[in-house]
Amino acid sequence: MRATVSLTQFKIATYVRSHRVLHPFAGLLAIMIVLYSVRVTPGTELSSYADSAALLVPVFAWAARGLLDAEPDVQRLISATAAGRPGREVAGGLAASAAVNAMLAALALAVPLVIGFAATPGPAVLLGGLALHVLSLVTGTALGALTSRPILPDPGVSALALLGGYVAMLLVSLAPIAWLTVPIIGWMHAAGRPGFLGGHLPGLAVITAFWCALALVAYIRLRRTRP
């Protein structure tokens, strides 16, 4: 456990020092400017949070991909050897990616409270916004991991796969077979309806968790055959 925590801290430090963290931060800033250039009227805050969560999926994916790519291949092998088991290195990378995305998600939740909302929303809206951004960061982390250099070594192919995967999720979410992928559009539709937390969120969370878990299992299995 201590080795995994140390690896997680090392990977975050490597990512920050490489300045790659500026890329997803700039994407987050751009989305915040677009969403909150006009103050959100009372009663629509949860829908605004849902839009934010949906738009931030590729930003979270880019952050996870950038973190997993920041460490050179040789250093990654050294880390796996030092940790004692390759699985610890994989777990450290995923934990570091999730931690960075959690910080970005916290900013996405806090910014509208300061400059975006015309009135401070109630606890139910804040809890719903938190849940939506957790679903978003988990989705983005899984997508970013699957398109990182250990899985797709070519940077161009990796970037296209990341953006293509996001667009595919959006398109399938619009179809009657939305359960065949992470229901990003479903998040946005459900947030505008009454009873989101108790009625719509559990089902959306189960579908999202299933596909993200499947993606992460695929990533872990593929990493076993790649340096």
Side-chain angles (χ1 to χ4, degrees), residues 6-201:
S6 297
L7 272 175
T8 300
Q9 295 172 340
F10 172 74
K11 289 176 181 293
I12 293 174
T14 300
Y15 182 51
V16 172
R17 288 171 185 162
S18 71
H19 302 298
R20 292 190 182 198
V21 69
L22 295 176
H23 300 160
F25 179 77
L28 172 67
L29 182 62
I31 289 173
M32 294 297 100
I33 290 172
V34 170
L35 287 177
Y36 304 115
S37 57
V38 177
R39 284 189 176 271
V40 176
T41 57
T44 60
E45 295 93 350
L46 187 56
S47 293
S48 178
Y49 269 145
D51 294 343
S52 170
L55 291 172
L56 283 174
V57 169
V59 173
F60 292 143
W62 203 272
R65 173 179 175 266
L67 185 145
L68 294 171
D69 287 356
E71 193 175 15
D73 295 335
V74 174
Q75 180 60 56
R76 187 164 57 249
L77 290 172
I78 294 173
S79 296
T81 302
R85 293 201 302 265
R88 290 176 178 170
E89 189 277 327
V90 175
L94 291 175
S97 300
V100 169
N101 280 335
M103 289 185 281
L104 293 173
L107 286 174
L109 289 168
V111 167
L113 294 176
V114 178
I115 63 171
F117 295 155
T120 302
V125 172
L126 296 176
L127 185 58
L130 174 62
L132 286 164
H133 282 82
V134 168
L135 296 180
S136 179
L137 79 85
V138 172
T139 302
T141 300
L143 178 58
L146 277 178
T147 55
S148 61
R149 189 171 66 235
I151 308 301
L152 297 175
D154 187 283
V157 172
S158 174
L160 287 174
L162 189 155
L163 295 175
Y166 175 63
V167 171
M169 283 189 283
L170 291 178
L171 293 176
V172 175
S173 293
L174 290 169
I177 52 172
W179 52 271
L180 285 177
T181 187
V182 175
I184 296 177
I185 301 299
W187 303 346
M188 301 168 71
H189 287 166
R193 300 171 186 164
F196 172 71
L197 284 176
H200 304 291
L201 178 61

